[in-house]
Amino acid sequence: MTAITQAEIERTVQAALMAHGAGAFPAAEVARAVAQAEALGNRICGLYYLESYCQQLQTGRVKGDVIPVVSAPRPATVYVDALMGFAQPAFAYGLAPALDAARQYGIASLAVGHAHTCTALGYFTEQIARAGIIGLGMTNASPIVAPPGGKTRMIGTNPIAFSVPDGEGRLAMQFDQSTTTVALGKITMAKAAGEVIPEGWAVDADGNPTTDPEAALAGSLVSTGGPKGWGFGLMAELLTAGLTGGVLSRNVKPLKAPEGPPHDLGQYYILIDPSASGAFMDRLDQFKTYLGEDPAGRMPGQMRNPADPVNVDPAAWAQAQALAGIED
């Protein structure tokens, strides 16, 4: 592994994106997300995606120079049209008005429509929580999940993320998880490494359990908990497509394909001001105390500790430098 600072990762990724047609602000926002993903060890959402971003900028599958349009169709309802650009700058444009609305009304929604994949969803809900507001987010993706017992891909991995502030500018808890047993990137990385996958992750094209990642990619991923996970995935599907104007997962082409129509995905966030209830922070503290009585008890995300410098994959780093036009 190669040790690289977060700042250097950001500079290199921003340079690579701008070299392939992105504007300075969108490139900076995406680069910040990539660096954080790498710092947290979430390599699937880090440099792993950079080549795809650059290719899709060149083919026009993602628009790198658009300015998101923010509107407020109703009180406490913020909508951002990403105009087929990156999700990160679109969220950045909508965050401040959504936070203001949550503080004024106690609860608000932020819908980001017509956007590129947002990759790590918790990256966004964390920003909400660090501003002192509870953040619940979800998104849909390319179709890879069949209904329980079925064979036809209907929805994506459709992750859900939830971040809670601790009242001091940090996180009390956070989870960010797909509604499938495993994220799609785990399958593609296993295929690239020539590894088998555990049984229970996926089924083949005939609906049979498989440990072959190639067969899994030709088949479907399995919802977490079967019908229960399917229900959460469907909830995310309807909210993110229906309340943002984005497309259903069935109409999204593979996210990393260099060419094709824009992703046109939606991300939907609910922002809740914990001060709307005088009891929230007290109950949070009580629960943390009770949880601490169990030796195995910990809040989700409690052990998150971003690295800096970051140990990155040497091949991925070399590719990033090449995309940025930097000679080693």
Side-chain angles (χ1 to χ4, degrees), residues 55-56 59-61 253-254 256-262:
Q55 290 174 337
Q56 293 180 8
T59 63
R61 196 170 180 210
K253 301 303 180 185
K256 293 190 71 180
E259 298 182 345

Side-chain angles (χ1 to χ4, degrees), residues 39-56:
L40 292 170
N42 183 10
R43 295 190 174 90
I44 294 173
C45 295
L47 294 171
Y48 173 75
Y49 251 99
L50 181 57
E51 181 183 32
S52 172
Y53 292 152
C54 292
Q55 290 174 337
Q56 293 180 8

